[in-house]
Amino acid sequence: MEATAESPSDTPESLSNQVRSAVIWRSGSQIIAQLVQWAATFLVIRILDPHDYGLFAMTGVVLVFLNMLNGYGLASGLIQKPEITTRDIRQLFGMLLLLNGALAAAQVLILAPAAAAYYRQPIVADMLRVQALFYFATPFIALPYALLSRSLDFKGQARVNIIASVASASAALGGALMGLGVWTLVLAPMVLFGVRAIGMTIAAKSLIWPSFDFRGSGSLACYGGVMALGQLFWFAQSQADVFIAGRHFTPHMLGIYTESLFLTQVFVSKIVPPLNEVAFSAYARIQHDRAAVAFAFARSVRIIMVAALPFYFGLAATAQPLVLTVLGEKWGETAPVVHLLALAMPFMTLQVLLQPACDAQGRPGIGVGNGAAGAVILTTGFLIGVQWGATGLAAAWICGYPLYLGFSLWRALPVIGTSLRAIADAIAPALLAALAMALVVTLIDGLLPVMPTVLRLLILVGMGAGVYGGWLAIFSRSVLRELIAVVRKQPLAAA
């Protein structure tokens, strides 16, 4: 592999086309991959018990914690650098190998027995020891991800993601049908990581000899370290509820809570992250044009919220028939929790859109500070809310996230170069339409006679979609025109 020297010399039109292509491939592949995984996931949920998902959530706290340190921050540093050489690439690969080897050893020897003792569940230690194999795949995913993302080449990644998702979904469904129980939830991501590692390495042609001579890599390590610190605070806020609840709840009740989170976070955890990957690469290319970054950020908020807000408000309005239809009667306890959590997710969605823009400006410390505040605010709420069970934790989300988002906007918007008024204007059309939709759906739900749950859900979803689309068509035509322009690759107005 020859040394490369890159500069952001693309014309605005060329970059715009690259971003459109990247979004289509990255988000499109994500949708296809998630449809495959969701189909298998919901079938598996109907087969397994809440107890199994509670045990898996206990191991997830450890996995998420160590994954904050697995080197993706270093990979982001490679994306953000204006120029890279072959030596930079080999050094990154060496760092990733050493770091993930250390994480695997720490999980097997230290954290696995500690987690089992904390949760009072011996099987948690066995699961974590097997899950340590994940770290050996990470270097072969993170390095090609960085190389492909630098050039906004998401086509190869898209194909790999779809293949890996099909393999993982097949493993999950097969394991559930074979009666593997909770081990099904260990097997499926193991297959996903393995297939992605092989596929990504082939797509990026990134199989090179690592370098363990880290002289001159200080800037990369420093950037990655700050990113990792920010991720560590994100872990504290995102996993504190499960960590606290795991000590107070039975595995059954923990499974009820975590699967409620899964349903409500489908959009923000599965759809938004790939869009953020594209956004980070695009922001990095225009980081020296402050006005362009501000405009791109406001437009991305507007477009994403047009899709996110009807999802969240619709989920809150149809929680009971949705849960009974998709998950089955044994998961009925999740409905009130889903209803509450869905109301907190719009705040979380806007929150996660902030960091890529700040990181691309070379200011990852903004995310670190925001994450620290969020960790304190949300953890305090969870410690209080856990006394009232799963609904108490959901209420803590509703109370804590607006405070967290307000603090983050105050620190991040000046760095991005935009204002609170601009963001409010970007969100308002979708917010008003989604509120009208939720109100109409709730009223209709109260008027409907007794009928099969599936039919009830279909009626409510159909009415909701009609109200939302109709409101936008009548009151927010400019938003619809912008969406159509993006899809059709038409030029967009700069203001």
Side-chain angles (χ1 to χ4, degrees):
M1 181 180 296
E2 297 180 358
T4 61
E6 303 172 8
S7 61
S9 58
D10 306 273
T11 66
E13 181 179 358
S14 173
L15 179 59
S16 178
N17 288 334
Q18 283 182 291
V19 171
R20 282 193 179 96
S21 177
V23 167
I24 291 171
W25 276 105
R26 189 63 183 94
S27 60
S29 69
Q30 184 77 1
I31 291 172
I32 294 173
Q34 289 303 325
L35 287 175
V36 172
Q37 286 191 322
W38 290 339
T41 295
F42 290 128
L43 288 174
V44 171
I45 289 175
R46 297 179 74 94
I47 297 172
L48 301 183
D49 295 319
H51 181 274
D52 297 322
Y53 283 90
L55 291 173
F56 183 68
M58 293 174 183
T59 69
V61 173
V62 175
L63 293 175
V64 172
F65 170 66
L66 292 185
N67 274 308
M68 298 301 97
L69 309 173
N70 66 4
Y72 267 89
L74 297 171
S76 296
L78 198 70
I79 298 172
Q80 197 270 342
K81 287 185 66 173
E83 298 180 359
I84 63 171
T85 65
T86 301
R87 188 166 185 267
D88 293 327
I89 298 170
R90 293 181 60 202
Q91 285 179 328
L92 173 62
F93 193 32
M95 291 178 186
L96 291 170
L97 290 173
L98 290 178
L99 187 56
N100 282 275
L103 293 178
Q107 181 165 307
V108 170
L109 300 175
I110 301 172
L111 293 179
Y118 174 79
Y119 292 120
R120 298 185 288 267
Q121 298 289 339
I123 192 174
V124 168
D126 298 329
M127 294 168 65
L128 283 169
R129 291 189 180 103
V130 175
Q131 289 168 320
L133 294 172
F134 293 165
Y135 302 106
F136 295 103
T138 299
F140 300 93
I141 300 174
L143 176 62
Y145 157 75
L147 296 176
L148 293 172
S149 296
R150 277 186 62 83
S151 58
L152 290 175
D153 180 6
F154 289 90
K155 186 174 181 179
Q157 295 187 54
R159 292 170 174 168
V160 173
N161 287 336
I162 293 173
I163 294 171
S165 295
V166 171
S168 176
S170 301
L173 189 56
L177 293 173
M178 291 171 59
L180 296 183
V182 69
W183 290 101
T184 299
L185 305 177
V186 176
L187 174 64
M190 190 171 297
V191 172
L192 179 72
F193 272 61
V195 174
R196 282 196 71 200
I198 296 171
M200 289 285 283
T201 300
I202 294 173
K205 301 177 181 178
S206 59
L207 190 59
I208 61 173
W209 195 257
S211 172
F212 300 103
D213 177 4
F214 301 128
R215 288 175 296 180
S217 62
S219 61
L220 181 65
C222 182
Y223 186 92
V226 175
M227 292 279 286
L229 184 59
Q231 291 293 306
L232 197 59
F233 286 126
W234 178 86
F235 160 79
Q237 59 182 273
S238 67
Q239 295 297 309
D241 52 348
V242 177
F243 183 75
I244 294 168
R247 185 76 174 183
H248 290 79
F249 294 176
T250 64
H252 171 89
M253 186 51 62
L254 183 61
I256 292 294
Y257 174 72
T258 55
E259 289 313 291
S260 299
L261 273 178
F262 166 74
L263 275 180
T264 54
Q265 291 184 343
V266 160
F267 190 93
V268 70
S269 66
K270 304 299 183 182
I271 304 299
V272 175
L275 297 177
N276 267 348
E277 291 176 18
V278 177
F280 175 69
S281 300
Y283 293 144
R285 299 277 281 273
I286 59 174
Q287 60 184 286
H288 302 295
D289 188 341
R290 190 177 177 84
V293 172
F295 174 73
F297 178 76
R299 191 173 69 192
S300 69
V301 168
R302 181 166 51 252
I303 292 174
I304 288 173
M305 285 302 184
V306 165
L309 290 176
F311 175 82
Y312 296 135
F313 283 92
L315 193 58
T318 63
Q320 186 175 29
L322 178 69
V323 165
L324 295 178
T325 300
V326 175
L327 303 184
E329 294 285 344
K330 65 182 177 181
W331 291 93
E333 295 170 88
T334 63
V337 186
V338 167
H339 173 78
L340 292 175
L341 285 171
L343 299 177
M345 291 305 117
F347 300 102
M348 183 179 184
T349 302
L350 182 54
Q351 169 68 40
V352 301
L353 295 177
L354 296 172
Q355 187 156 342
C358 294
D359 291 346
Q361 295 288 89
R363 297 288 299 279
I366 297 295
V368 173
N370 292 348
V376 173
I377 293 170
L378 295 177
T379 300
T380 301
F382 296 144
L383 286 170
I384 297 171
V386 75
Q387 309 302 323
W388 289 271
T391 53
L393 288 180
W397 277 83
I398 294 175
C399 294
Y401 237 99
L403 296 176
Y404 174 28
L405 175 61
F407 178 82
S408 300
L409 289 171
W410 172 64
R411 299 184 73 244
L413 293 185
V415 174
I416 298 171
T418 189
S419 66
L420 185 60
R421 175 64 182 273
I423 301 306
D425 288 344
I427 296 172
L431 178 60
L432 293 174
L435 286 172
M437 177 202 73
L439 178 60
V440 171
V441 168
T442 301
L443 291 174
I444 292 175
D445 191 28
L447 296 174
L448 289 176
V450 177
M451 63 179 64
T453 304
V454 176
L455 179 59
R456 189 183 202 90
L457 179 63
L458 290 175
I459 292 173
L460 295 178
V461 170
M463 291 299 300
V467 171
Y468 185 74
W471 182 285
L472 289 180
I474 295 172
F475 299 106
S476 304
R477 293 184 180 178
S478 61
V479 174
L480 292 180
R481 284 196 294 267
E482 183 175 34
L483 290 173
I484 294 171
V486 170
V487 173
R488 293 182 176 179
K489 300 184 179 181
Q490 295 172 348
L492 297 171

